[in-house]
Amino acid sequence: MKVHFIRHADDFLVTTPTKEIAEEARDSIQEFFAGRGLELSKEKTVITHIDDGFDFLGFNFRKYNGKLLIKPSRKSIESITDKIRRTVKKARAWTQDALIQTLNPITQGWANYHCHNVAAKIFGKLDDYIWKVTWRWARRRHPDKGNKWIARRYWQPERNRKWVFQTKENRLRKFLDTKIRRHSRLKLDTNPYLDREYFLERKDRIKQPKPQNETRITFVTLPPRTG
C-alpha cells in the first residue's frame, strides 16, 4: 500500500490507492490534529478521484484518458482576471505608461508561475481578455474619438504583431510572451553538497513566486495499476 503525503506551508495533499484508505488517512490526521487543539475544515477537506481532478496551490491536477495534465485552476484564472479588471478600472486617470508598468508585474508573475503547466491556451484567452479591458480603458478616455484614432494612439505594430499596447518607453507584455517550459525532474543520483552547481542552477531556473491560496487538505484516490 502506497500513501504519499505532500505538504506546502499549511496546505496538504495525500494520495492513496483507494477511497477507503483515503478516509482512514483523513481520520488519522484529524486525530493527530485533535490532540493539538486543531481540526480539519469540512469545507476545504476533499476526497476525490484523480480522474475527477483536484486543485492544489493554484493548479488543477486531473487525468484525461489515463494521462495526467496539470493546468491553472479555475479559481486561479478567475483571480488573475479579477485583479487585471480592478487594476484597469482603478487606472481611469492614469497615463498609458503607468498602466503598463502596473500590469506587467501582475501578468508576468502569474505567467511565470504557470509556465511549466499545460497553459498555452489559457495564456491566449487571458491575452484576449487583457486586450478587451485595455480597449475599454482607451475608449473611456476618448469618448469623442473614433476607433481608428484610438487604435493609432495606443496600439502600434511590432514585428509580426499588428496590435501592441505600448509607448516609446514601455510595452505591455502578453501572457504568451512567456514560453511554456516543461519541468525537469530532479536527478536522484546528485548530492546537494557534492553537486552544488547543479542545485544552484536548478533553483534559479525553477524559482517561482509563492501562490496566495487558502489552507486546505485534499485526499486523492488513484486507480490501481494494471499489468
Side-chain angles (χ1 to χ4, degrees):
M1 179 185 70
K2 288 186 177 181
V3 176
H4 299 281
F5 177 82
I6 302 98
R7 179 176 67 86
H8 180 89
D10 52 0
D11 287 339
F12 300 89
L13 172 66
V14 180
T15 64
T16 67
T18 66
K19 180 179 179 181
E20 291 72 24
I21 297 176
E23 291 173 343
E24 292 180 12
R26 177 195 59 195
D27 295 341
S28 297
I29 293 175
Q30 179 59 74
E31 182 179 352
F32 176 82
F33 278 9
R36 290 155 180 79
L38 303 172
E39 63 179 6
L40 293 176
S41 170
K42 294 182 179 180
E43 294 78 16
K44 299 176 182 177
T45 302
V46 180
I47 295 180
T48 186
H49 195 278
I50 189 63
D51 290 344
D52 298 324
F54 63 95
D55 292 344
F56 187 63
L57 302 178
F59 306 117
N60 177 262
F61 299 77
R62 183 179 175 183
K63 274 193 173 182
Y64 297 83
N65 297 322
K67 183 177 182 180
L68 177 64
L69 297 182
I70 304 173
K71 303 179 180 181
S73 69
R74 180 176 299 180
K75 185 175 180 180
S76 181
I77 297 170
E78 292 174 350
S79 176
I80 188 63
T81 53
D82 182 64
K83 190 170 185 178
I84 291 171
R85 179 189 58 80
R86 288 186 285 106
T87 300
V88 175
K89 183 178 180 180
K90 185 173 63 174
R92 290 178 177 176
W94 294 2
T95 64
Q96 186 181 11
D97 275 316
L99 177 58
I100 293 173
Q101 290 173 1
T102 304
L103 284 175
N104 274 345
I106 296 173
T107 59
Q108 184 66 56
W110 196 90
N112 284 344
Y113 185 66
H114 290 283
C115 69
H116 298 289
N117 307 325
V118 182
K121 289 185 178 179
I122 294 173
F123 282 4
K125 291 180 179 179
L126 289 173
D127 282 334
D128 291 341
Y129 176 78
I130 205 169
W131 183 90
K132 291 177 181 178
V133 295
T134 51
W135 177 259
R136 289 198 295 266
W137 173 85
R139 286 292 303 273
R140 290 193 187 101
R141 292 172 66 86
H142 306 282
D144 299 328
K145 298 293 185 180
N147 290 345
K148 290 184 179 180
W149 186 94
I150 294 174
R152 288 194 300 267
R153 171 67 175 79
Y154 293 101
W155 282 266
Q156 288 80 40
E158 182 181 275
R159 297 180 183 177
N160 60 336
R161 296 178 181 175
K162 294 182 179 180
W163 293 75
V164 180
F165 192 73
Q166 64 180 340
T167 66
K168 293 181 179 180
E169 290 78 21
N170 295 288
R171 178 177 67 87
L172 182 62
R173 287 188 58 88
K174 295 169 67 72
F175 283 89
L176 283 173
D177 287 338
T178 302
K179 295 182 179 179
I180 300 297
R181 295 178 297 156
R182 297 305 175 212
H183 181 73
S184 59
R185 293 184 178 182
L186 180 68
K187 295 180 180 179
L188 299 181
D189 59 347
T190 55
N191 185 302
Y193 297 100
L194 302 178
D195 306 286
R196 183 172 176 80
E197 290 186 3
Y198 166 77
F199 283 93
L200 289 176
E201 186 274 334
R202 179 182 175 85
K203 181 179 179 181
D204 291 338
R205 186 174 68 254
I206 68 175
K207 186 177 181 180
Q208 302 290 355
K210 182 179 178 181
Q212 300 296 324
N213 293 295
E214 294 180 333
T215 301
R216 65 181 66 249
I217 178 169
T218 303
F219 297 84
V220 184
T221 59
L222 306 175
R225 292 182 178 273
T226 58

